[in-house]
Amino acid sequence: MPPKTTPQPSWKAGVNPFRRYQTGHADAEPCSIVIFGASGDLTRRKLVPALFNLVVEEALTAPFNIIGFARREDNDDDFRKKLHQALDDHSRSLPERFTGLNDFLRRISYHRGSFDRPEDFTALKNHLLDIEKKRGGPRNRLYYLATPPESFTEIIRNLKAAGLTGNGLNSEGWTRIIIEKPYGRDLKSAWTLTGAVHSSFAENQVYRIDHYLGKETVQNILAFRLGNGIFEPLWNRRYVDHVQITVAETLGVENRAAYFDQAGIARDMLQSHIMQLFSLIAMEPPASFEAGHIHDEKVKLLRSVHPPEVESLPDILVRGQYTAGSAGGTPVAAYRKEPGINSQSITETYLAIKLEVDNWRWAGVPFYIRTGKRLAKQVSEVDIIFREPPHRIFAQTGIEKLQPNVLGIKIQPEEGISLNISCKRPGQVYQIDPVSMEFNYATSFGVPSPEAYERLLLDAILGDTTLFAREDEVDLSWELADPIIAAWENNPEFPLAFYEAGSWGPREADILLSRHGRHWRRL
Ligand code: BG6
């Protein structure tokens, strides 16, 4: 007879981060998740709903606890009530339908504390020890910095002083830290932050979040490029005329005026989300799906971007700011009239730029990027515009120009891929028209996409850094963003182009492309 064995929970068998790709279930270990800035918007709108949905969908079955750390006077019961309300408002699965709701809420506790008071961190340690004793299993801890960036360094310092940083691999359990954006406001401050982070945590404990990487459609960029044999051979200067990346929002600055007026769209969107999209589109195929291989290729790509020269910036860069107009049919104020915005502000709410990549694959292929607030439509899309056929056989039929083939990768709100091709219109007149072949997530798969934060939180719990930004990636994207921002911060004469809220941005952005006989895609 085989020896009798006691079944072990899956987390005791050790973690295989790839197993969930095969089974959809994660080998997560129990852990405590401490959210700094727990009374803020991010906790209510994204973090707690994401953890809840992971439980509902059984993607996360290991026991875990959520500890909210914030300055505000609060207690466990009231904090739970607020988060219950947050689930009602923001969770994609209905809380009342889930029988484990109360159990989920019971795992939440509140720890009142100031980020600058070491004794509050000592108390946090006792709070954690207490929870971990009751829960049993290893003392795994995940810290989430969901505070304004000014507090990052202080929190990190006090975590270390309280002996809460671990070494990531000790026998008691792992310790990891997720750092929200913005990660610095330029290369220098990013280095300073990295210095502070590394004085307490090793790089393999650090998870710099960029929520765009958690979006299904963004993850699909690599699946689409490298899971199909037919596109990769075309993915280069021989076939691609240019690439357009659009991240357009109809929203204004909402309730983040103080932050945004200091940051501007270059820091807020270009350095982070857009650089990530750009890297995934343009990088070389990695050797494998392992985090290190993917990060290496992204870094190699960012190193190949032609550094914008100061003299050329006025020709390749447009900064804009919205004036009064409309959003969804409702009149809206000019940026300078938004509550909390300086009435003389020259902060950019729009940016368009042409980037070039100095490597064998992309030499001579422009990447046009545009992003802005209060634009005509909320849409994020990457378009690969292919070259025209090399020889025109249709000249005698009266057809002078064909529309180029365009591959559109739709990130949001529409999720899918379209390929525009030219086809003969039926009839005696020889006419060739563009038509579109479409893939749409909702109709093809019929299941809703998980929220970006669900995927990213689960990855951090599993110790998978693939969808987080490595230190050198962040540095290189600042190296790219810094001279762009310096173009206007060092030169007050740099033009600020105004555009009406609800339009597609300033005219100057159209000229950026029309100079080379191109135009922005109508999305
Ligand atoms: C955030 C920016 O990181 O991303 C915001 O700070 C922006 O300004 C937001 O609105 C866009 O995210 P999403 O997922 O709505 O496209």
Side-chain angles (χ1 to χ4, degrees):
M1 236 171 73
K4 220 170 146 195
T5 52
T6 324
Q8 298 282 308
S10 64
W11 50 265
K12 283 211 170 147
V15 176
N16 167 8
F18 289 107
R19 193 178 87 95
R20 83 197 137 127
Y21 295 137
Q22 296 148 16
T23 64
H25 297 285
D27 280 334
E29 294 184 345
C31 66
S32 304
I33 303 166
V34 184
I35 304 177
F36 292 95
S39 52
D41 243 24
L42 188 69
T43 308
R44 280 189 308 110
R45 285 174 177 274
K46 301 286 182 193
L47 304 183
V48 174
L51 289 166
F52 178 70
N53 284 310
L54 286 172
V55 174
V56 172
E57 300 201 336
E58 292 178 15
L60 182 56
T61 47
F64 66 91
N65 298 81
I66 302 171
I67 298 99
F69 186 118
R71 285 196 192 97
R72 209 173 273 179
E73 171 87 61
D74 214 339
N75 57 50
D76 289 351
D77 280 347
D78 289 347
F79 187 56
R80 284 182 192 134
K81 275 188 204 133
K82 281 179 205 139
L83 293 181
H84 187 173
Q85 183 62 50
L87 293 180
D88 288 340
D89 296 343
H90 304 292
S91 164
R92 73 191 168 82
S93 32
L94 291 175
E96 307 309 331
R97 291 228 185 120
F98 179 55
T99 49
L101 173 66
N102 285 335
D103 180 49
F104 178 82
L105 292 171
R106 262 197 302 276
R107 301 178 192 193
I108 299 174
S109 59
Y110 186 75
H111 183 84
R112 187 179 180 205
S114 267
F115 305 143
D116 57 352
R117 279 166 49 105
E119 55 273 37
D120 293 347
F121 287 74
T122 312
L124 171 68
K125 187 178 187 176
N126 293 332
H127 188 142
L128 283 168
L129 288 171
D130 204 30
I131 287 176
E132 288 157 355
K133 202 164 150 205
K134 287 187 197 131
R135 190 181 60 219
R139 289 196 191 129
N140 295 321
R141 292 161 185 174
L142 177 64
Y143 306 120
Y144 200 116
L145 301 191
T147 66
E150 300 77 65
S151 306
F152 290 174
T153 312
E154 211 157 42
I155 297 171
I156 289 167
R157 192 175 345 110
N158 280 326
L159 281 170
K160 185 174 185 190
L164 280 169
T165 49
N167 65 8
L169 292 170
N170 65 24
S171 57
E172 301 210 307
W174 47 254
T175 307
R176 297 178 188 140
I177 185 163
I178 303 183
I179 304 177
E180 255 300 331
K181 75 179 265 283
Y183 193 91
R185 57 175 279 114
D186 50 21
L187 180 60
K188 213 168 140 224
S189 53
W191 277 348
T192 310
L193 177 55
T194 300
V197 171
H198 283 173
S199 67
S200 302
F201 295 95
E203 178 64 17
N204 66 3
Q205 294 177 275
V206 184
Y207 293 70
R208 296 174 192 84
I209 206 161
D210 184 311
H211 78 275
Y212 265 58
L213 291 176
K215 291 180 191 276
E216 280 289 336
T217 44
V218 175
Q219 291 173 52
N220 188 42
I221 294 175
L222 282 192
F224 177 78
R225 276 187 61 187
L226 307 174
N228 294 291
I230 60 171
F231 294 105
E232 200 51 27
L234 310 179
W235 216 258
N236 57 54
R237 63 191 302 275
R238 280 190 71 187
Y239 299 100
V240 176
D241 176 74
H242 71 284
V243 177
Q244 296 186 12
I245 301 180
T246 302
V247 178
E249 295 183 274
T250 51
L251 293 178
V253 288
E254 309 305 294
N255 52 1
R256 300 159 72 227
Y259 153 75
F260 191 87
D261 209 32
Q262 288 299 312
I265 205 103
R267 290 190 173 94
D268 188 45
M269 297 297 288
L270 179 76
Q271 179 273 335
S272 50
H273 308 323
I274 293 181
M275 279 302 131
Q276 289 293 344
L277 283 179
F278 167 60
S279 307
L280 291 170
I281 289 291
M283 71 189 223
E284 293 300 313
S288 84
F289 207 51
E290 261 174 46
H293 289 156
I294 294 179
H295 289 302
D296 288 347
E297 293 305 337
K298 281 159 88 182
V299 161
K300 211 167 87 195
L301 185 268
L302 291 172
R303 280 207 189 105
S304 315
V305 178
H306 191 77
E309 287 122 17
V310 179
E311 318 78 63
S312 72
L313 281 169
D315 296 329
I316 62 161
L317 175 64
V318 175
R319 77 160 163 170
Q321 189 190 81
Y322 62 83
T323 57
S326 67
T330 313
V332 291
Y335 177 71
R336 290 177 176 179
K337 294 269 167 59
E338 297 265 22
I341 301 293
N342 177 346
S343 60
Q344 309 284 312
S345 174
I346 51 166
T347 298
E348 79 289 356
T349 60
Y350 177 96
L351 173 154
I353 189 163
K354 177 177 127 186
L355 290 181
E356 287 187 81
V357 182
D358 291 337
N359 67 14
W360 276 66
R361 185 186 283 266
W362 294 118
V365 178
F367 285 73
Y368 295 101
I369 290 169
R370 60 176 164 169
T371 181
K373 302 263 180 209
R374 285 274 190 252
L375 293 179
K377 199 173 166 189
Q378 192 219 343
V379 54
S380 299
E381 181 165 329
V382 179
D383 293 298
I384 317 286
I385 292 95
F386 289 91
R387 286 182 191 278
E388 286 182 24
H391 174 59
R392 296 182 186 170
I393 69 155
F394 302 110
Q396 291 115 319
T397 67
I399 295 169
E400 285 181 1
K401 189 145 177 53
L402 294 172
Q403 294 295 319
N405 296 122
V406 179
L407 180 75
I409 301 176
K410 296 167 198 291
I411 309 289
Q412 63 181 28
E414 214 182 303
E415 300 181 319
I417 290 178
S418 65
L419 180 61
N420 288 6
I421 53 175
S422 293
C423 285
K424 183 186 171 304
R425 175 178 282 275
Q428 300 309 326
V429 175
Y430 207 91
Q431 195 177 331
I432 296 183
D433 283 344
V435 291
S436 181
M437 300 200 294
E438 303 274 345
F439 149 66
N440 179 293
Y441 272 78
T443 47
S444 293
F445 295 126
V447 285
S449 296
E451 285 274 331
Y453 279 92
E454 293 175 30
R455 173 63 197 258
L456 296 174
L457 278 163
L458 183 60
D459 281 7
I461 292 170
L462 291 173
D464 183 348
T465 59
T466 312
L467 299 178
F468 293 84
R470 201 168 66 183
E471 176 196 353
D472 45 359
E473 260 171 75
V474 174
D475 287 355
L476 284 161
S477 48
W478 276 122
E479 256 176 53
L480 241 154
D482 274 359
I484 295 168
I485 297 164
W488 48 75
E489 289 195 348
N490 293 348
N491 172 18
E493 306 288 294
F494 195 92
L496 174 63
F498 291 96
Y499 62 100
E500 200 180 313
S503 70
W504 268 111
R507 224 171 41 88
E508 286 78 349
D510 297 332
I511 299 171
L512 180 73
L513 271 73
S514 63
R515 242 187 253 135
H516 304 281
R518 301 183 175 113
H519 57 85
W520 290 108
R521 300 250 310 137
R522 284 165 66 115
L523 302 176

